[in-house]
Amino acid sequence: MDSEATRPLSITDRYKAMNVSQRYWWKVVALCFFGWILMYADRTILNPVQTQLAAQFHISNTQLGIVNSIFFLTYAITQIPFGMLGDKFGRRLVIMIGFVLFGIMTFVSGIVTGFAVFLIVRAIAGIGQGSYYGPQYALSTEAIPTKDLTLGTAIINSGMAFGTSGGYLLSSNLVLQHGMSWQTPFYIMSVPTVIVGILFYFILKERVIRPEDQGKKQEKKEVETPTEKVSVGSLFKNRNLVFAYIMCFCSIYANFVIITWLPQFLQVERGFKGTSVGFIASLVPWASIPGAILFAHIYDKTKKTKALMFFLVPLSLISVFGIAFVTNKTLLILVLIVYGLTGKLAIDPILVAFVTKNAPKASLSTALSAYNFIGMSGSILAPYITGWISDSFGSMKIGFYLAAALLLVGMILFSFTSDKNNVNAA
């Protein structure tokens, strides 16, 4: 007689399990969405007020770039360790600890009075944020039905857009428009960050079985035992994963040139002032929401990774080039909207689905953390290099042109991938 643990579910039980799982995966999507809002708002509240920060600490654009680069350095190097810890000890626990840490450090960022200490605090905040990417996407990938995976990921990623815009608007309105101190947005952001981190631990569950997996035979489940786990190094023997990682790097480099320097570029080189700086800069994240959801839906229907990438990346690189090239304000606004529709947030859900298809399931959190580690290396380099270019040449334009060139390189390399599932290559 079959044991209770291995007996197939009845039609009624399977229907009930499916309804519960459907309600649950939308809960996962919602909480992960809010997590990204707080992550990106914390990153962007600084960018509209960099001039005030530079005046207080008496620093150059290159040093301003270091502030963001040191944050993303610690964020990037902790990706793989946190992914491995999430696989071993629980993803909810890792996320909660990370969010509490970076929430506290966000508050402390507004207290410190010396530039060196400020750098240290931002570095620790980056460590806290490093806990999120791999464990979060492992949780959501396991919970979202396969047929809705890319769409669900796009909805989660749209939190990045809301957070980016929210950070811009919060700082530009409070500081540039109403004259408050640049520290105020940091105080405001710290409290909800800690609260959401705690909610992750108490609301979500580990390793959820999706509806389409209910009732499968035990021998099917044995495929995903811990013996399937592979070393980090072996992930880089998979050509599909390697070129996806490089494409992610190029996409994120361009995105963080825009996220970090667009507000100051608009003020210094295009003449925007006050709240309009935050509003115009917010056009990119707002446009990215419908773009990400639309192209994720198309991907879920077609599963044509390369076809979509060859459509999105050329438009993205042309728009990045155009941000620096055009001088007409109306045309600049149009270019920013095009980048939002086709840029990083539209590309990322497709790449995440591609990595998920090509990564060993038992090491999914680690593979996704490696993906984000390589990608976020672009966020380390972009702020510093663009700041150095601005100090050296008196303009940020070359920094935008470089970002466009990297997108071209990433697109060429990604052309050597295959849409076929290549998981066994790892």
Side-chain angles (χ1 to χ4, degrees):
M1 181 180 294
D2 291 338
S3 68
E4 190 69 26
T6 60
R7 183 183 302 148
L9 294 175
S10 67
I11 294 176
T12 302
D13 289 341
R14 189 175 301 182
Y15 179 77
K16 290 179 180 179
M18 184 175 294
N19 285 338
V20 170
S21 183
Q22 286 176 338
R23 290 196 300 270
Y24 175 73
W25 80 258
W26 277 111
K27 186 187 299 183
V28 172
V29 167
L31 190 54
C32 294
F33 166 80
F34 281 109
W36 279 116
I37 288 179
L38 294 170
M39 291 270 286
Y40 268 74
D42 177 79
R43 297 172 182 182
T44 57
I45 52 176
L46 175 63
N47 299 337
V49 298
Q50 289 187 116
T51 303
Q52 288 77 5
L53 183 71
Q56 176 166 330
F57 292 138
H58 307 290
I59 57 177
S60 64
N61 283 336
T62 302
Q63 290 171 301
L64 280 173
I66 291 175
V67 173
N68 284 284
S69 291
I70 195 70
F71 175 92
F72 289 113
L73 173 63
T74 57
Y75 173 78
I77 63 178
T78 55
Q79 291 294 297
I80 296 176
F82 274 126
M84 297 173 72
L85 288 172
D87 284 334
K88 185 173 183 179
F89 297 108
R91 294 143 184 177
R92 299 176 306 151
L93 177 63
V94 168
I95 291 173
M96 182 186 71
I97 293 173
F99 261 62
V100 171
L101 177 62
F102 99 75
I104 293 172
M105 289 300 103
T106 298
F107 183 86
V108 176
S109 296
I111 297 176
V112 299
T113 57
F115 180 62
V117 179
F118 184 77
L119 283 178
I120 294 172
V121 170
R122 295 305 293 164
I124 299 173
I127 293 173
Q129 287 205 11
S131 69
Y132 193 59
Y133 192 97
Q136 181 263 285
Y137 280 116
L139 284 171
S140 61
T141 297
E142 290 173 345
I144 301 172
T146 301
K147 66 182 180 66
D148 299 309
L149 180 58
T150 311
L151 178 61
T153 302
I155 294 172
I156 290 171
N157 281 7
S158 67
M160 303 177 190
F162 279 91
T164 301
S165 176
Y168 283 154
L169 293 173
L170 181 66
S171 286
S172 61
N173 184 56
L174 294 181
V175 181
L176 301 183
Q177 191 71 24
H178 291 95
M180 296 184 183
S181 70
W182 63 264
Q183 293 95 334
T184 304
F186 287 90
Y187 301 146
I188 293 174
M189 286 302 307
S190 61
V191 175
T193 299
V194 173
I195 292 174
V196 168
I198 294 172
L199 290 178
F200 261 96
Y201 186 78
F202 288 101
I203 291 180
L204 300 193
K205 296 179 283 188
E206 298 282 349
R207 294 174 175 83
V208 174
I209 299 176
R210 293 179 292 197
E212 63 265 32
D213 296 328
Q214 294 284 352
K216 287 186 177 180
K217 293 181 179 180
Q218 186 66 30
E219 58 266 24
K220 294 276 187 177
K221 296 179 182 179
E222 290 174 357
V223 175
E224 299 186 41
T225 60
T227 58
E228 188 187 343
K229 291 188 178 181
V230 298
S231 67
V232 174
S234 64
L235 295 175
F236 292 92
K237 297 178 182 178
N238 185 318
R239 184 181 64 186
N240 278 359
L241 290 179
V242 170
F243 289 148
Y245 293 167
I246 294 173
M247 185 68 251
C248 181
F249 169 86
C250 298
S251 175
I252 287 180
Y253 184 98
N255 190 59
F256 276 87
V257 169
I258 294 171
I259 285 179
T260 305
W261 291 109
L262 181 60
Q264 188 164 331
F265 179 78
L266 293 174
Q267 293 176 70
V268 176
E269 301 194 36
R270 292 295 180 262
F272 290 93
K273 297 180 180 179
T275 303
S276 66
V277 173
F279 175 76
I280 300 300
S282 293
L283 290 175
V284 171
W286 285 120
S288 71
I289 297 171
I293 293 175
L294 171 64
F295 291 113
H297 179 70
I298 293 173
Y299 176 82
D300 278 333
K301 295 297 184 182
T302 65
K303 304 299 182 184
K304 300 294 184 181
T305 304
K306 292 175 73 172
L308 278 172
M309 294 296 289
F310 290 155
F311 175 77
L312 291 171
V313 178
L315 289 175
S316 179
L317 74 87
I318 291 171
S319 58
V320 171
F321 183 91
I323 291 171
F325 185 76
V326 303
T327 55
N328 179 274
K329 291 185 177 180
T330 301
L331 188 56
L332 175 61
I333 290 172
L334 178 61
V335 168
L336 289 172
I337 292 173
V338 172
Y339 176 77
L341 288 169
T342 62
K344 187 260 183 187
L345 291 187
I347 292 170
D348 195 52
I350 298 170
L351 285 179
V352 168
F354 186 75
V355 170
T356 300
K357 183 177 71 172
N358 285 275
K361 290 185 178 180
S363 298
L364 182 58
S365 182
T366 304
L368 288 169
S369 294
Y371 163 81
N372 201 42
F373 167 72
I374 300 296
M376 292 308 294
S377 297
S379 68
I380 300 169
L381 297 173
Y384 175 79
I385 291 175
T386 309
W388 177 82
I389 289 172
S390 177
D391 285 338
S392 300
F393 299 96
S395 173
M396 296 178 190
K397 292 180 181 179
I398 298 176
F400 286 92
Y401 296 150
L402 174 61
L406 284 173
L407 284 171
L408 178 61
V409 171
M411 183 181 67
I412 292 171
L413 291 176
F414 196 78
S415 68
F416 293 100
T417 63
S418 171
D419 270 339
K420 295 180 180 180
N421 193 328
N422 196 31
V423 67
N424 291 327

